Amino acid sequence: YLGVKEPFAGLMTQGMVCHRTFRDGATGRWLFPSDVVEAPDGTATNAKTGAPVTIGRSEKMSKSKGNVVDPESTLETYGADTARLFMLSDSPPENDLDWTDAGIEGAWRYANRLWRMVTEPGIELAAPGTPAPALSAAAEKLHRAVHRTVAAVADDLERFHFNKAVARIRELNRLDTQLFCWPWGHFCDDAEAELRQAGFAGAFTLERWVNAR
């Protein structure tokens, strides 16, 4: 039971999830993406028969056209957090989302890079409760950037601008790739809490932060 009163004060209509279509050149039948082998030159063939395949435009996923992706295979290969990160970062929720293997793999690489920043920091992390050291000019710049990012991400979440929130976090990572490797962990506290609350990669974030500490 949900204690939500109607009518709602506002309603957001989400965009469709889209994927390219594939049609068998010999039979004209629609094919599932998993039944198609794509070559580097942009051509495609039927994985079962070797027949040429016509690649159509990206359309909303439909069983009748076969342009659907089994979520179970994505979850087993990349995990739920990677799929969630990709979907939230690709486009605003009111726009259509183009589901691509490249997009999923990009989110996977980014998640792994963050994981390595904690598990392979290159320096020993300070113990919890360690007093904060004096900040250098570079550290002060990073400190301010963290707090600006936290404030901006919080505002983005209120406005349902999830893709902007993820982009800001990535920008912060690019500013200083040692954000999660700093000997003093205070810089990371607010940003990490914001990531967890955002739900972009909740299980992943919680596990790696607990391990880092």
Side-chain angles (χ1 to χ4, degrees):
Y1 174 78
L2 299 178
V4 179
K5 295 182 179 180
E6 297 184 25
F8 303 113
L11 176 65
M12 171 176 285
T13 302
Q14 291 181 276
M16 298 290 184
V17 180
C18 303
H19 197 287
R20 291 177 302 167
T21 56
F22 302 98
R23 189 188 288 270
D24 190 291
T27 65
R29 298 180 59 182
W30 297 106
L31 298 173
F32 291 108
S34 57
D35 294 330
V36 176
V37 176
E38 296 187 62
D41 61 1
T43 60
T45 56
N46 187 320
K48 297 178 180 178
T49 66
V53 170
T54 301
I55 302 176
R57 65 185 179 89
S58 181
E59 302 181 34
K60 67 177 181 179
M61 287 190 178
S62 167
K63 288 185 178 179
S64 62
K65 292 188 176 181
N67 63 334
V68 294
V69 176
D70 181 11
E72 288 298 325
S73 62
T74 300
L75 298 182
E76 290 176 2
T77 304
Y78 301 103
D81 282 343
T82 296
R84 186 184 301 111
L85 180 62
F86 164 64
M87 295 182 70
L88 292 177
S89 63
D90 186 74
S91 62
E94 67 271 17
N95 292 355
D96 289 345
L97 166 69
D98 259 329
W99 188 276
T100 64
D101 291 339
I104 284 288
E105 290 170 1
W108 172 246
R109 288 194 300 270
Y110 177 64
N112 276 275
R113 183 159 64 89
L114 290 181
W115 179 265
R116 289 192 299 271
M117 291 171 73
V118 172
T119 59
E120 304 171 13
I123 55 177
E124 184 177 354
L125 296 176
T130 300
L135 300 182
S136 65
E140 180 66 29
K141 179 181 179 181
L142 177 59
H143 195 188
R144 291 179 181 275
V146 169
H147 285 280
R148 285 197 300 269
T149 299
V150 169
V153 168
D155 183 64
D156 288 333
L157 296 182
E158 290 295 326
R159 299 172 183 270
F160 298 101
H161 295 167
F162 305 124
N163 61 312
K164 291 184 179 180
V166 175
R168 294 185 197 278
I169 295 170
R170 291 194 179 212
E171 182 180 355
L172 182 62
N173 293 150
R174 287 193 293 270
L175 175 64
D176 192 332
T177 57
Q178 292 195 358
L179 171 63
F180 295 102
C181 306
W182 213 266
W184 174 46
H186 175 71
F187 284 177
C188 311
D189 291 342
D190 289 341
E192 191 70 23
E194 193 66 40
L195 277 167
R196 192 180 304 122
Q197 292 171 4
F200 298 143
F204 174 87
T205 303
L206 178 60
E207 181 177 349
R208 69 186 177 85
W209 192 238
V210 169
N211 290 340
R213 292 193 166 188

